[in-house]
Amino acid sequence: MHYTHETHPGESPDGALQSSGGVGVRVVLVEPGPTSTPFDAAMVRPDVLMPAYAQQRETFAEVMADSIKDGDDPATVAKVIVAAVTDAKPRLRYPAGVTAGRVSALRRFTPARVFDKQIRRLNRFAA
């Protein structure tokens, strides 16, 4: 799983859940924030690095390392997963952790353009 603030499996671009086709499948979104795991060490590296992406690749590695170092305990995410699958009246979204909760609130109360700009700034993407 790739931890990101911008994409979530099971969602269409407009935020609607994909249909389960009436087969009794319930879909909820557990949205973890940065989590303190060895995730960055397990990332697959390409065999050939393209020089055009060198700076962004280095920046991404720094952002990931900082996020993971200061991330939530994996038990936080596990507890949210258990809550999501056992909730009698499940919510659509289950943010897991401090940062995920903040991002969720920001998404609800901030215009999309402003939200995207903040995510780009936090991830140090090019403008």
Side-chain angles (χ1 to χ4, degrees), residues 25-90:
V25 175
R26 177 176 77 186
V27 177
V28 298
L29 301 173
V30 174
E31 302 172 316
T35 306
S36 184
T37 66
F39 177 77
D40 59 334
M43 289 191 301
V44 176
R45 308 283 192 247
D47 293 332
V48 178
L49 299 176
M50 297 178 68
Y53 298 108
Q55 181 60 47
Q56 188 60 49
R57 188 173 43 254
E58 186 176 312
T59 300
F60 175 76
E62 291 170 9
V63 169
M64 285 296 294
D66 290 345
S67 293
I68 290 170
K69 177 183 64 149
D70 299 330
D72 293 310
D73 186 308
T76 301
V77 179
K79 288 176 186 174
V80 172
I81 291 170
V82 170
V85 299
T86 59
D87 198 343
K89 292 186 177 185

Side-chain angles (χ1 to χ4, degrees), residues 8-19:
H8 303 284
E11 267 190 293
S12 64
D14 67 357
L17 281 177
Q18 301 299 313
S19 170

